[in-house]
Amino acid sequence: MAAVVGVLALAPGAQAATVAVSPQKPCYRSGETIRMSGTGFTPGGTVDISSEGSSIGSTTADGSGNFGGRLQVASPNQRVKTYTATDQSNPANSASTSLTVSPLDVNIAPRNGPPGRRLRIVARGFTTGRILYAHVVRGRRRSHVRVGRLRGPCRRLRTRRRIFRGNTRPGTYVVQFDTRRRYSPDTRVRVRFRVSVFPVFGAGALQTSISG
């Protein structure tokens, strides 16, 4: 959960600043937008929002010293990030929240080879569900592969799975990874690849080439 820390260097009788985020989760997907709110700031004053000490925006407290707004979290690597709200009328009055943030990605190996080959799949950041699926799409054709269970607060997975059958026809396919049982092109939290399946003449086998 997000840990909220207030700084108490205020004048006697003043209210210490606090911040909170919603929803509260053990891990947030990089690029996810959440709500950030605060109390105890200078009424009508400017509140600066920073990430790891660098300003990322500002807002204005209302007449009661409260503010609310949207915060987009981001990180290229899984890490704990600190977001701080600082009262610009009294910089000693600030509050922070620490959030675990993970990128959303899927790595596949090998990138080339027969379609019936088992692939090494490493995924993380799918915070929208517990099961990862791979949807293979070409025109109106659909197939759905249950890749495996996502584990841990940042929903990680490492496994070997066969995405394409050995008798897959040559052509270009879309492979979409998400946490929905059925495919939808409108799924927001997803990782999508374009895959070319083609014959290798004289080898008696098809080959695949995967591109992001």
Short mmCIF file of all heavy atoms in Angstrom, two decimals, residues 64-109:
data_model
loop_
_atom_site.label_atom_id
_atom_site.label_comp_id
_atom_site.label_asym_id
_atom_site.label_seq_id
_atom_site.Cartn_x
_atom_site.Cartn_y
_atom_site.Cartn_z
N SER A 64 -10.15 25.52 1.86
CA SER A 64 -9.90 24.74 3.07
C SER A 64 -8.49 24.14 3.10
O SER A 64 -8.15 23.38 4.01
CB SER A 64 -10.94 23.61 3.20
OG SER A 64 -12.25 24.13 3.29
N GLY A 65 -7.70 24.44 2.07
CA GLY A 65 -6.34 23.92 2.01
C GLY A 65 -6.23 22.52 1.44
O GLY A 65 -5.21 21.85 1.64
N ASN A 66 -7.27 22.08 0.72
CA ASN A 66 -7.28 20.75 0.12
C ASN A 66 -7.08 20.84 -1.38
O ASN A 66 -7.42 21.84 -2.01
CB ASN A 66 -8.60 20.04 0.40
CG ASN A 66 -8.93 20.01 1.88
OD1 ASN A 66 -8.05 19.85 2.73
ND2 ASN A 66 -10.21 20.16 2.20
N PHE A 67 -6.56 19.79 -1.98
CA PHE A 67 -6.47 19.73 -3.44
C PHE A 67 -6.76 18.30 -3.89
O PHE A 67 -6.67 17.35 -3.12
CB PHE A 67 -5.10 20.18 -3.95
CG PHE A 67 -4.01 19.17 -3.77
CD1 PHE A 67 -3.80 18.14 -4.69
CD2 PHE A 67 -3.16 19.24 -2.66
CE1 PHE A 67 -2.78 17.21 -4.52
CE2 PHE A 67 -2.15 18.31 -2.48
CZ PHE A 67 -1.96 17.29 -3.41
N GLY A 68 -7.10 18.16 -5.16
CA GLY A 68 -7.33 16.85 -5.76
C GLY A 68 -7.03 16.94 -7.24
O GLY A 68 -7.27 17.97 -7.88
N GLY A 69 -6.47 15.90 -7.80
CA GLY A 69 -6.16 15.88 -9.22
C GLY A 69 -5.69 14.52 -9.66
O GLY A 69 -5.65 13.56 -8.88
N ARG A 70 -5.32 14.43 -10.93
CA ARG A 70 -4.88 13.16 -11.49
C ARG A 70 -3.35 13.12 -11.53
O ARG A 70 -2.70 14.13 -11.81
CB ARG A 70 -5.46 12.96 -12.88
CG ARG A 70 -6.99 12.81 -12.88
CD ARG A 70 -7.50 12.43 -14.25
NE ARG A 70 -7.17 13.44 -15.24
CZ ARG A 70 -7.34 13.29 -16.56
NH1 ARG A 70 -7.84 12.16 -17.02
NH2 ARG A 70 -7.02 14.26 -17.38
N LEU A 71 -2.81 11.95 -11.28
CA LEU A 71 -1.37 11.73 -11.30
C LEU A 71 -1.08 10.55 -12.20
O LEU A 71 -1.64 9.46 -12.00
CB LEU A 71 -0.86 11.45 -9.88
CG LEU A 71 0.59 10.98 -9.76
CD1 LEU A 71 1.55 12.12 -10.12
CD2 LEU A 71 0.88 10.49 -8.34
N GLN A 72 -0.21 10.76 -13.19
CA GLN A 72 0.21 9.65 -14.04
C GLN A 72 1.57 9.16 -13.57
O GLN A 72 2.55 9.90 -13.58
CB GLN A 72 0.29 10.06 -15.51
CG GLN A 72 0.57 8.89 -16.45
CD GLN A 72 0.58 9.29 -17.91
OE1 GLN A 72 1.44 10.05 -18.34
NE2 GLN A 72 -0.38 8.77 -18.67
N VAL A 73 1.63 7.89 -13.16
CA VAL A 73 2.88 7.32 -12.67
C VAL A 73 3.63 6.72 -13.85
O VAL A 73 3.03 6.23 -14.80
CB VAL A 73 2.63 6.27 -11.58
CG1 VAL A 73 1.96 6.90 -10.38
CG2 VAL A 73 1.77 5.12 -12.11
N ALA A 74 4.97 6.76 -13.78
CA ALA A 74 5.76 6.26 -14.90
C ALA A 74 7.13 5.83 -14.41
O ALA A 74 7.72 6.47 -13.54
CB ALA A 74 5.91 7.33 -15.98
N SER A 75 7.61 4.72 -14.98
CA SER A 75 8.97 4.25 -14.70
C SER A 75 9.35 3.21 -15.74
O SER A 75 8.55 2.33 -16.06
CB SER A 75 9.07 3.64 -13.30
OG SER A 75 10.37 3.14 -13.08
N PRO A 76 10.58 3.28 -16.29
CA PRO A 76 11.02 2.27 -17.26
C PRO A 76 11.41 0.95 -16.60
O PRO A 76 11.55 -0.06 -17.28
CB PRO A 76 12.23 2.93 -17.93
CG PRO A 76 12.79 3.84 -16.88
CD PRO A 76 11.59 4.35 -16.13
N ASN A 77 11.58 0.97 -15.28
CA ASN A 77 11.96 -0.22 -14.53
C ASN A 77 11.07 -0.34 -13.30
O ASN A 77 10.56 0.66 -12.80
CB ASN A 77 13.42 -0.16 -14.09
CG ASN A 77 14.37 0.01 -15.26
OD1 ASN A 77 14.44 -0.84 -16.14
ND2 ASN A 77 15.10 1.12 -15.27
N GLN A 78 10.91 -1.56 -12.80
CA GLN A 78 10.14 -1.73 -11.57
C GLN A 78 10.91 -1.12 -10.41
O GLN A 78 12.06 -1.48 -10.15
CB GLN A 78 9.86 -3.20 -11.30
CG GLN A 78 8.99 -3.42 -10.07
CD GLN A 78 8.64 -4.86 -9.84
OE1 GLN A 78 8.47 -5.62 -10.81
NE2 GLN A 78 8.53 -5.27 -8.60
N ARG A 79 10.26 -0.21 -9.69
CA ARG A 79 10.93 0.47 -8.59
C ARG A 79 9.91 1.15 -7.71
O ARG A 79 8.74 1.30 -8.09
CB ARG A 79 11.92 1.51 -9.11
CG ARG A 79 11.27 2.57 -10.00
CD ARG A 79 12.25 3.59 -10.51
NE ARG A 79 12.84 4.36 -9.43
CZ ARG A 79 13.50 5.51 -9.61
NH1 ARG A 79 13.65 5.99 -10.84
NH2 ARG A 79 13.99 6.16 -8.59
N VAL A 80 10.35 1.58 -6.53
CA VAL A 80 9.53 2.39 -5.64
C VAL A 80 9.83 3.85 -5.94
O VAL A 80 10.99 4.28 -5.89
CB VAL A 80 9.81 2.07 -4.16
CG1 VAL A 80 9.00 3.00 -3.26
CG2 VAL A 80 9.48 0.62 -3.85
N LYS A 81 8.80 4.63 -6.26
CA LYS A 81 8.96 6.04 -6.59
C LYS A 81 8.25 6.89 -5.54
O LYS A 81 7.17 6.53 -5.06
CB LYS A 81 8.41 6.35 -7.97
CG LYS A 81 9.14 5.64 -9.10
CD LYS A 81 8.79 6.26 -10.45
CE LYS A 81 9.31 7.68 -10.58
NZ LYS A 81 9.05 8.24 -11.93
N THR A 82 8.84 8.02 -5.22
CA THR A 82 8.28 8.93 -4.23
C THR A 82 7.71 10.16 -4.93
O THR A 82 8.41 10.82 -5.70
CB THR A 82 9.35 9.35 -3.21
OG1 THR A 82 9.83 8.20 -2.54
CG2 THR A 82 8.76 10.32 -2.18
N TYR A 83 6.44 10.45 -4.66
CA TYR A 83 5.77 11.63 -5.18
C TYR A 83 5.48 12.56 -4.01
O TYR A 83 4.95 12.12 -2.97
CB TYR A 83 4.48 11.23 -5.90
CG TYR A 83 4.73 10.41 -7.15
CD1 TYR A 83 4.82 9.02 -7.08
CD2 TYR A 83 4.88 11.03 -8.38
CE1 TYR A 83 5.07 8.26 -8.22
CE2 TYR A 83 5.12 10.28 -9.52
CZ TYR A 83 5.21 8.90 -9.43
OH TYR A 83 5.46 8.15 -10.56
N THR A 84 5.83 13.84 -4.16
CA THR A 84 5.76 14.79 -3.07
C THR A 84 4.94 16.01 -3.46
O THR A 84 5.08 16.53 -4.57
CB THR A 84 7.17 15.24 -2.64
OG1 THR A 84 7.94 14.09 -2.27
CG2 THR A 84 7.11 16.21 -1.46
N ALA A 85 4.08 16.46 -2.54
CA ALA A 85 3.32 17.70 -2.69
C ALA A 85 3.91 18.72 -1.72
O ALA A 85 4.01 18.46 -0.52
CB ALA A 85 1.85 17.48 -2.40
N THR A 86 4.33 19.90 -2.25
CA THR A 86 4.98 20.92 -1.43
C THR A 86 4.21 22.22 -1.50
O THR A 86 3.89 22.72 -2.59
CB THR A 86 6.43 21.16 -1.91
OG1 THR A 86 7.16 19.92 -1.86
CG2 THR A 86 7.13 22.19 -1.03
N ASP A 87 3.92 22.77 -0.34
CA ASP A 87 3.21 24.05 -0.22
C ASP A 87 4.16 25.17 -0.63
O ASP A 87 5.18 25.42 0.03
CB ASP A 87 2.77 24.23 1.24
CG ASP A 87 1.80 25.37 1.42
OD1 ASP A 87 1.88 26.36 0.67
OD2 ASP A 87 0.96 25.27 2.35
N GLN A 88 3.86 25.86 -1.72
CA GLN A 88 4.76 26.91 -2.20
C GLN A 88 4.75 28.15 -1.33
O GLN A 88 5.70 28.95 -1.37
CB GLN A 88 4.41 27.27 -3.65
CG GLN A 88 4.64 26.13 -4.63
CD GLN A 88 6.07 25.66 -4.66
OE1 GLN A 88 6.93 26.31 -5.27
NE2 GLN A 88 6.36 24.54 -3.99
N SER A 89 3.72 28.32 -0.52
CA SER A 89 3.69 29.44 0.43
C SER A 89 4.49 29.12 1.68
O SER A 89 4.89 30.03 2.42
CB SER A 89 2.24 29.78 0.81
OG SER A 89 1.49 30.15 -0.33
N ASN A 90 4.72 27.85 1.95
CA ASN A 90 5.48 27.40 3.12
C ASN A 90 6.15 26.09 2.74
O ASN A 90 5.63 25.01 3.03
CB ASN A 90 4.55 27.21 4.32
CG ASN A 90 5.29 26.70 5.54
OD1 ASN A 90 6.52 26.67 5.57
ND2 ASN A 90 4.54 26.28 6.55
N PRO A 91 7.31 26.14 2.06
CA PRO A 91 7.96 24.93 1.55
C PRO A 91 8.27 23.88 2.62
O PRO A 91 8.46 22.71 2.28
CB PRO A 91 9.25 25.47 0.92
CG PRO A 91 8.92 26.88 0.54
CD PRO A 91 8.02 27.37 1.65
N ALA A 92 8.31 24.29 3.90
CA ALA A 92 8.52 23.30 4.96
C ALA A 92 7.31 22.39 5.13
O ALA A 92 7.41 21.32 5.74
CB ALA A 92 8.85 23.99 6.27
N ASN A 93 6.18 22.81 4.59
CA ASN A 93 4.94 22.05 4.71
C ASN A 93 4.78 21.18 3.46
O ASN A 93 4.39 21.66 2.40
CB ASN A 93 3.74 22.99 4.87
CG ASN A 93 2.46 22.24 5.15
OD1 ASN A 93 2.46 21.20 5.77
ND2 ASN A 93 1.36 22.80 4.68
N SER A 94 5.10 19.91 3.57
CA SER A 94 5.01 19.00 2.42
C SER A 94 4.63 17.61 2.90
O SER A 94 4.69 17.31 4.10
CB SER A 94 6.34 18.94 1.66
OG SER A 94 7.34 18.34 2.46
N ALA A 95 4.22 16.78 1.97
CA ALA A 95 3.86 15.39 2.28
C ALA A 95 4.18 14.54 1.06
O ALA A 95 4.12 15.01 -0.07
CB ALA A 95 2.39 15.28 2.65
N SER A 96 4.52 13.28 1.31
CA SER A 96 4.94 12.38 0.24
C SER A 96 4.21 11.05 0.31
O SER A 96 3.72 10.64 1.37
CB SER A 96 6.45 12.11 0.33
OG SER A 96 7.20 13.31 0.21
N THR A 97 4.17 10.37 -0.83
CA THR A 97 3.66 9.01 -0.90
C THR A 97 4.62 8.19 -1.75
O THR A 97 5.12 8.67 -2.77
CB THR A 97 2.23 8.96 -1.46
OG1 THR A 97 1.77 7.62 -1.46
CG2 THR A 97 2.16 9.52 -2.87
N SER A 98 4.92 6.97 -1.34
CA SER A 98 5.82 6.10 -2.07
C SER A 98 5.02 4.98 -2.73
O SER A 98 4.26 4.28 -2.06
CB SER A 98 6.86 5.49 -1.11
OG SER A 98 7.69 6.51 -0.59
N LEU A 99 5.21 4.82 -4.05
CA LEU A 99 4.43 3.87 -4.83
C LEU A 99 5.36 2.95 -5.61
O LEU A 99 6.36 3.39 -6.18
CB LEU A 99 3.53 4.61 -5.84
CG LEU A 99 2.67 5.76 -5.30
CD1 LEU A 99 1.94 6.43 -6.45
CD2 LEU A 99 1.69 5.25 -4.26
N THR A 100 5.03 1.68 -5.65
CA THR A 100 5.76 0.74 -6.49
C THR A 100 5.18 0.80 -7.90
O THR A 100 3.98 0.66 -8.09
CB THR A 100 5.64 -0.69 -5.95
OG1 THR A 100 6.18 -0.74 -4.63
CG2 THR A 100 6.41 -1.67 -6.83
N VAL A 101 6.06 1.04 -8.89
CA VAL A 101 5.63 1.21 -10.28
C VAL A 101 6.38 0.20 -11.15
O VAL A 101 7.58 -0.01 -10.99
CB VAL A 101 5.91 2.64 -10.78
CG1 VAL A 101 5.40 2.82 -12.21
CG2 VAL A 101 5.27 3.66 -9.85
N SER A 102 5.65 -0.43 -12.06
CA SER A 102 6.25 -1.42 -12.96
C SER A 102 5.89 -1.11 -14.41
O SER A 102 4.74 -0.76 -14.70
CB SER A 102 5.76 -2.82 -12.61
OG SER A 102 6.16 -3.77 -13.60
N PRO A 103 6.83 -1.26 -15.34
CA PRO A 103 6.47 -1.14 -16.76
C PRO A 103 5.60 -2.32 -17.19
O PRO A 103 5.59 -3.37 -16.55
CB PRO A 103 7.82 -1.15 -17.47
CG PRO A 103 8.72 -1.91 -16.56
CD PRO A 103 8.25 -1.58 -15.16
N LEU A 104 4.88 -2.13 -18.28
CA LEU A 104 4.07 -3.18 -18.89
C LEU A 104 4.84 -3.70 -20.10
O LEU A 104 5.08 -2.95 -21.05
CB LEU A 104 2.72 -2.62 -19.33
CG LEU A 104 1.82 -3.56 -20.14
CD1 LEU A 104 1.27 -4.66 -19.26
CD2 LEU A 104 0.69 -2.78 -20.80
N ASP A 105 5.24 -4.96 -20.07
CA ASP A 105 5.93 -5.49 -21.24
C ASP A 105 5.89 -7.02 -21.27
O ASP A 105 5.61 -7.67 -20.27
CB ASP A 105 7.37 -4.98 -21.33
CG ASP A 105 8.24 -5.37 -20.14
OD1 ASP A 105 8.11 -6.49 -19.65
OD2 ASP A 105 9.06 -4.54 -19.71
N VAL A 106 6.16 -7.53 -22.47
CA VAL A 106 6.27 -8.97 -22.71
C VAL A 106 7.51 -9.20 -23.56
O VAL A 106 7.69 -8.54 -24.59
CB VAL A 106 5.03 -9.53 -23.44
CG1 VAL A 106 5.23 -11.01 -23.77
CG2 VAL A 106 3.77 -9.33 -22.62
N ASN A 107 8.36 -10.10 -23.13
CA ASN A 107 9.53 -10.50 -23.92
C ASN A 107 9.36 -11.95 -24.36
O ASN A 107 8.97 -12.81 -23.56
CB ASN A 107 10.82 -10.36 -23.09
CG ASN A 107 11.15 -8.90 -22.82
OD1 ASN A 107 11.14 -8.09 -23.74
ND2 ASN A 107 11.45 -8.58 -21.58
N ILE A 108 9.66 -12.19 -25.64
CA ILE A 108 9.49 -13.52 -26.23
C ILE A 108 10.81 -13.96 -26.85
O ILE A 108 11.49 -13.18 -27.51
CB ILE A 108 8.40 -13.51 -27.32
CG1 ILE A 108 7.05 -13.13 -26.72
CG2 ILE A 108 8.30 -14.85 -28.01
CD1 ILE A 108 5.96 -12.99 -27.75
N ALA A 109 11.18 -15.23 -26.64
CA ALA A 109 12.36 -15.79 -27.27
C ALA A 109 12.10 -17.28 -27.53
O ALA A 109 11.46 -17.95 -26.73
CB ALA A 109 13.59 -15.62 -26.37
#
